[in-house]
Amino acid sequence: MAFRQRREKLRSILTGQGCIRPGSVYDAISIRIAEDLGFPLGMFGGSVASLAVLGDPDIALITLTELAEQMRRMSRASVLPVLVDADHGYGNALNVRRTVQELEAAGCAGLTIEDTLLPQAFAEAKTQLISLEEGVGKMKAALDGRSDPSLVIMGRTGAAAVTSLEDTIKRAQAYQATGVDALFFTGIKSRAELEAIAAATRLPIVLGGAPDELNALDYLAGQRVRIALQGHAPIAVATQAVYDTLKALREGTPPKDLRGLASSELTGRIMREADVKARSADFLGLKR
């Protein structure tokens, strides 16, 4: 029931009239911070998943099991709805079906399945797409794998940056026809392209990676964009902070002299909340 409530919140965003910015989350701490700050939605990207879990770049090394387990940790730590970048579904259509089942069980509010050819073909420098027919098959498999009808499934394409606007629209219309709940686009380069896509489709739109002219939320809302990503700065800034702190400690700076320790107030509060939950469990006769 708790997971369904999170999914209904994501659906209310998609059926609303505005456009929101999600908070980029990647672990139990980041999602609790995003919830504390009032973000309506968390975005768990494939690139940050690879960095957080493996310490590796986004080159299709992370597995479905690792992704789902990280999502499960975040679901336990926070009630914030999370949209998961499920990449290509970790294989063919059968793998897509299992991807949906695993992420649904892990508590995500929604997920995206894209038509990028992953892993990248040998000796091929440019991004490639799977065929339209295979893309449609993956969308159908994703929908078939869903057991909770409130789980949001989005069809994603990066064709705008790989092939053409015409191909982007063709793929979007085909994915829309399968019954997915929303359309996710990357690589859109201008307002003209977005307007053409919005005119040719009817589902809510999610926009990832856009130029400055596509930053105005009022304009995006008017083009049926309901979620607009703004990258994954939190993990980059957090990594720099860890580096700077460890470097200072290695060079002999006493911990009490480190700058930026005001954030320890938030850490302390999170720890206190965790202790309260544990004590509540004891009171109810439950195991910690």
Side-chain angles (χ1 to χ4, degrees), residues 21 27 42 69 107 110 116 135 167 187-188 213 234 247 252 284:
R21 300 280 195 189
D27 64 7
E69 184 56 35
T116 308
D167 185 40
I188 295 179
E213 67 175 286
K247 183 174 183 292
L284 294 172

Side-chain angles (χ1 to χ4, degrees), residues 217-259:
L217 292 182
D218 288 344
Y219 167 76
L220 294 176
Q223 297 303 315
R224 220 171 53 255
V225 178
R226 298 294 171 250
I227 302 171
L229 277 60
Q230 52 185 354
H232 300 291
I235 194 170
V237 176
T239 301
Q240 184 65 52
V242 171
Y243 175 85
D244 291 341
T245 303
L246 288 174
K247 183 174 183 292
L249 290 170
R250 177 62 175 163
E251 293 173 350
T253 302
K256 64 183 178 62
D257 293 340
L258 291 174
R259 294 181 179 272

